[in-house]
Amino acid sequence: MLNKTKQSNRKAGYRLIATGLVLIIFIVLADIRLRPIIQKAGEYQSRVVALRIINQAVQDELQAQEYNYTDLVELSRDAAGNIISIESNMAGINRLKARVSQTINEGMGSIGQSELKIPIGTVSGINVLYGRGPAIPVKLSPRGFASVNLVSKFTQAGINQTLHQITLNVSSDISAIIPGYTASVNVETEFIITQTVIVGTVPESYAHIIL
């Protein structure tokens, strides 16, 4: 009887170990399958969040303060009307950069936790099951930081005419912190703040001014 009991217990132990190994293998395989899907979803979600915050920050600033060309740039001409200097209004430029940068980074700092739901059919990798089945919830905690720069752009606008644009370039690095994962993306976007058509010759040395 004792031998039979020992054998029975041993078999039960083996079955338990085998079940545990199968479960571990399943978890590992599921993680391998799930990881790239979660990372891509996290990158997409982070990009959407970053663009929403950036667009709102720039829109709010431009609505609060209308920037004219002369607020950011001053042209000096000689007696013949030729441009002799293009000077940046650093006070206006720094004010714009500081306000937009502060608003964006405050928005980045207040990003709340969001949840993604990934159907099991998507994890399976089988095309016909994509988007089907119970959903696996995944918590996302995006974190990011943005830098702001203003750039001058000169383009030919006609005979003896040059279009001068002042653009605001925003670059944001944002990461989605997921349990066991980190999905990072860089988001870059550009806004035209003001522009004017300059009549006359623009010296080549002013063609790549960074404000």
Side-chain angles (χ1 to χ4, degrees):
M1 287 292 295
L2 289 176
N3 289 336
K4 289 184 178 179
T5 302
K6 287 181 178 180
Q7 289 178 355
S8 178
N9 290 338
R10 189 177 295 113
K11 289 180 180 179
Y14 288 155
R15 283 195 295 268
L16 185 61
I17 293 172
T19 301
L21 289 175
V22 170
L23 182 61
I24 291 172
I25 292 171
F26 174 79
I27 292 173
V28 170
L29 291 176
D31 181 72
I32 292 173
R33 175 72 69 177
L34 194 61
R35 184 181 296 267
I37 297 173
I38 293 177
Q39 287 180 329
K40 287 181 180 179
E43 289 172 4
Y44 173 79
Q45 185 74 8
S46 297
R47 190 179 299 276
V48 169
V49 169
L51 286 173
R52 184 179 69 245
I53 292 173
I54 292 170
N55 290 337
Q56 189 63 53
V58 175
Q59 181 180 338
D60 289 347
E61 176 59 21
L62 296 183
Q63 287 179 345
Q65 174 69 47
E66 182 178 351
Y67 288 89
N68 297 316
Y69 183 78
T70 53
D71 294 331
L72 304 176
V73 178
E74 182 178 348
L75 303 179
S76 297
R77 300 176 183 270
D78 59 18
N82 297 315
I83 298 173
I84 57 175
S85 69
I86 300 177
E87 297 181 0
S88 303
N89 180 345
M90 295 310 299
I93 290 169
N94 289 335
R95 182 168 57 250
L96 172 59
K97 290 171 63 175
R99 287 179 177 177
V100 173
S101 180
Q102 179 180 358
T103 304
I104 292 174
N105 287 311
E106 284 178 352
M108 293 289 187
S110 63
I111 296 173
Q113 190 179 74
S114 59
E115 184 178 87
L116 290 177
K117 292 186 176 180
I118 304 176
I120 290 179
T122 300
V123 179
S124 71
I126 302 173
N127 291 335
V128 295
L129 297 179
Y130 189 87
R132 300 177 181 275
I136 301 172
V138 178
K139 299 290 184 180
L140 290 176
S141 299
R143 296 290 182 269
F145 178 82
S147 60
V148 177
N149 288 297
L150 268 73
V151 178
S152 276
K153 289 188 176 182
F154 294 87
T155 55
Q156 192 68 29
I159 299 175
N160 205 32
Q161 294 182 342
T162 302
L163 176 64
H164 183 199
Q165 294 179 323
I166 307 297
T167 65
L168 186 145
N169 295 359
V170 181
S171 177
S172 173
D173 292 312
I174 185 166
S175 299
I177 302 172
I178 312 162
Y181 309 89
T182 299
S184 301
V185 293
N186 176 262
V187 178
E188 295 187 359
T189 187
E190 178 182 278
F191 304 87
I192 297 176
I193 301 302
T194 185
Q195 62 184 19
T196 192
V197 174
I198 301 172
V199 178
T201 303
V202 176
E204 181 64 26
S205 58
Y206 298 124
H208 303 287
I209 296 177
I210 297 179
L211 302 173

